[in-house]
Amino acid sequence: MPAPSDVDRPFLSIVIPLFNEEENIVPLIGEIEAALPSIPGGCEVILVDDGSRDSSWERIAAAASERPWLRALRFLGNRGQTAAMVAGIDAARGTLVAFLDADLQNDPRDIARLVEPIAAGRADLVCGWRTHRADNPLLRTLPSRIANLLIRKSFDLQVHDLGCTLKVCRRAFLEEIQLYGEMHRFIPCYAQAQGARVTEVEVNHRPRTRGESKYGLSRVGKVLVDLATAKMLSSYGSKPAYFFGKIGLAFLTMATAAFALVAWRALVLGRAQATPMIFVTVMLFMTALVCFMSGLLAEISIRVLHQAGGARAYKVVERVGFDAEPARNVVVLQPPASQS
């Protein structure tokens, strides 16, 4: 395998977001180093420190200074896993991009197995499938399976485990995806909407032995909100007026039916007295109007967003292992001026 420093564009970039994983840094890098020979072509690893408050960055910087294939970014503050993954995608030079958790529950040796279908031309994005999860069955496994079922049905995506961070994708598809908030789990959905061939491979999953999990039941509500957002953006991202228009038409239909019922009671049955249906009719018409206006405002907003562009959801404060290449969203911290 050629050394990553010997190639201008490595075949694979491995992006690893992390937050307060000081105990896992050294064993993680050791496992990746052992797995690199099984990956064809040049390879680079990009560790993205999401504003850790422990000694994670010091250990990352020390490791990167000794390994030409290891690069690292550190955020000014905690911005979330999605922002860390976006920063890694922006910094990646590989034709393919892999994502890996830093908690050692993913096995780096599985990366080569996910690369193989793409290298063989059978897929564009391969997801890891944790068939035997080493997690709490009630707090993590069950909510994850319910969320995966909802996402599969909503997007007609034949992938069982969208919550598994371990994925490999052609970089060209990732460059067209705008990720914000906690939308990283929907990368396969967005890629498939662009025409990517998405498949999955069973991977090893191990229990966490060091550090604390950053996941819990609090993510269930976020997943449901993100699901509605992702569905809207993937299907109507460039035409939000259609999304709100369909909802508005549904309310308008109900309002028309309610008005017809009121008119029938008054004109045919001669019951012209006040009825709650009149208020229902007015509320349905008003709701339909609000939906149509929301669609119009969303259409204007999305056009402004596309014209402006360039905004990113993170700021990088330090970089290790990067040459003098143009850097995006990098904050340079100046030392305080000395007092005379």
Side-chain angles (χ1 to χ4, degrees):
M1 181 186 75
S5 57
D6 295 335
V7 292
D8 295 329
R9 188 179 181 87
F11 178 65
L12 177 69
S13 296
I14 303 175
V15 175
I16 307 175
L18 63 98
F19 176 69
N20 291 345
E21 296 285 359
E22 60 181 359
E23 297 179 20
N24 290 318
I25 300 300
V26 174
L28 171 66
I29 293 175
E31 288 196 12
I32 293 174
E33 197 162 21
L36 289 182
S38 65
I39 301 174
C43 183
E44 67 175 356
V45 177
I46 302 172
L47 290 171
V48 184
D49 184 353
D50 186 19
S52 294
R53 294 293 179 257
D54 57 9
S55 62
S56 293
W57 178 251
E58 288 73 16
R59 300 187 184 193
I60 292 171
S65 65
E66 301 173 352
R67 296 167 175 82
W69 48 265
L70 180 60
R71 304 198 293 163
L73 304 170
R74 181 169 74 90
F75 285 1
L76 185 62
N78 182 248
R79 305 301 297 170
Q81 185 175 358
T82 297
M85 293 174 73
V86 171
I89 294 170
D90 289 344
R93 298 172 296 179
T95 304
L96 306 183
V97 177
F99 300 103
L100 184 73
D101 270 335
D103 56 13
L104 293 177
Q105 290 195 264
N106 295 145
D107 190 342
R109 292 174 298 181
D110 285 327
I111 295 177
R113 299 175 56 237
L114 271 66
V115 168
E116 194 275 332
I118 301 179
R122 300 194 304 270
D124 301 303
L125 188 153
V126 182
C127 301
W129 180 9
R130 300 166 294 182
T131 51
H132 303 287
R133 291 191 60 169
D135 286 325
N136 185 301
L138 181 61
L139 297 180
R140 293 191 59 182
T141 303
L142 180 60
S144 177
R145 287 181 177 176
I146 295 174
N148 283 320
L149 177 62
L150 292 174
I151 295 173
R152 287 202 307 272
K153 296 298 183 181
S154 299
F155 290 89
D156 192 24
L157 185 66
Q158 302 304 313
V159 173
H160 291 84
D161 191 4
L162 290 164
C164 182
T165 301
L166 184 55
K167 299 178 179 70
V168 178
C169 182
R170 293 189 189 275
R171 187 167 175 263
F173 287 101
L174 296 173
E175 290 175 341
E176 299 299 321
I177 299 174
Q178 297 295 325
L179 297 174
Y180 299 95
E182 301 243 349
M183 306 296 286
H184 60 273
R185 61 177 60 86
F186 294 97
I187 287 177
C189 305
Y190 291 131
Q192 179 175 266
Q194 296 180 54
R197 296 166 296 172
V198 180
T199 187
E200 61 187 352
V201 170
E202 294 188 22
V203 296
N204 183 29
H205 192 245
R206 306 175 293 193
R208 176 186 269 272
T209 57
R210 305 178 183 88
E212 297 181 358
S213 174
K214 315 303 187 296
Y215 302 90
L217 286 176
S218 60
R219 287 189 170 236
V220 175
K222 295 180 180 179
V223 170
L224 295 178
V225 174
D226 289 343
L227 173 59
T229 304
K231 180 62 177 177
M232 188 270 183
L233 292 177
S234 63
S235 300
Y236 304 96
S238 60
K239 44 185 184 301
Y242 292 175
F243 177 79
F244 289 100
K246 288 183 177 180
I247 299 176
L249 285 174
F251 278 104
L252 182 60
T253 301
M254 289 186 290
T256 302
F259 177 76
L261 179 60
V262 171
W264 180 74
R265 284 171 54 88
L267 299 178
V268 178
L269 301 181
R271 300 177 183 177
Q273 67 272 22
T275 171
M277 189 59 67
I278 296 176
F279 299 101
V280 173
T281 302
V282 173
M283 290 302 299
L284 289 172
F285 271 119
M286 292 179 63
T287 304
L289 179 61
V290 169
C291 289
F292 288 127
M293 294 303 298
S294 298
L296 177 61
L297 293 176
E299 193 76 23
I300 295 173
S301 298
I302 204 70
R303 291 174 187 265
V304 172
L305 178 64
H306 286 170
Q307 291 175 1
R312 290 288 171 182
Y314 66 88
K315 292 292 182 183
V316 172
V317 68
E318 283 188 67
R319 308 197 312 165
V320 175
F322 289 78
D323 299 326
E325 58 191 57
R328 290 182 287 180
N329 288 69
V330 175
V331 177
V332 179
L333 298 183
Q334 300 290 346
S338 59
Q339 300 293 330
S340 57

